[in-house]
Amino acid sequence: MSIAIDSQKCVGCGRCTEVCPGTLLRMCGGKAQIRYPEECWGCVSCVKECAVGAISLFLGADIGGMGSRMTVQKDGALLHWTVCRPDGTAQTITVDSRDSNQY
């Protein structure tokens, strides 16, 4: 798994570089970049931290994604996970983070 960073959307806040447990992200020219995409283990810390939706996670065939990308937008305690498929369709799943550890 790996991520993609849309440099057009990236505002250069650097929050993603602070949360990456593998220290794979860096700032270059005021934008976030991933140094070694093949070493990303898909923890989605950076995806969840990006306030502007500039970082997406590739959903490979091995997990049924078939080339889809997933982003997340925060709205208070709500997380809106959006899966964008290669055919242009999208599906959003909303999760209340306050309920995430109830089971």
Side-chain angles (χ1 to χ4, degrees):
M1 280 192 230
S2 187
I3 61 162
I5 301 172
D6 184 337
S7 62
Q8 300 293 336
K9 290 183 180 179
C10 179
V11 295
C13 69
R15 290 174 17 194
C16 57
T17 64
E18 296 169 5
V19 298
C20 179
T23 62
L24 300 173
L25 300 176
R26 66 178 176 173
M27 298 303 294
C28 185
K31 303 287 183 173
Q33 290 184 342
I34 184 165
R35 286 187 259 198
Y36 308 108
E38 67 280 0
E39 292 185 14
C40 175
W41 57 75
C43 73
V44 301
S45 293
C46 60
V47 176
K48 291 189 290 184
E49 193 64 29
C50 184
V52 296
I55 304 175
S56 58
L57 176 71
F58 287 112
L59 301 176
D62 57 331
I63 60 170
M66 305 302 273
S68 299
R69 291 184 181 196
M70 181 178 64
T71 58
V72 65
Q73 293 292 317
K74 293 180 187 178
D75 179 16
L78 299 178
L79 299 174
H80 305 284
W81 295 90
T82 301
V83 176
C84 297
R85 296 179 190 90
D87 66 4
T89 61
Q91 178 181 3
T92 300
I93 301 165
T94 300
V95 177
D96 189 329
S97 64
R98 295 170 293 198
D99 297 333
S100 63
N101 294 319
Q102 71 178 356
Y103 301 106

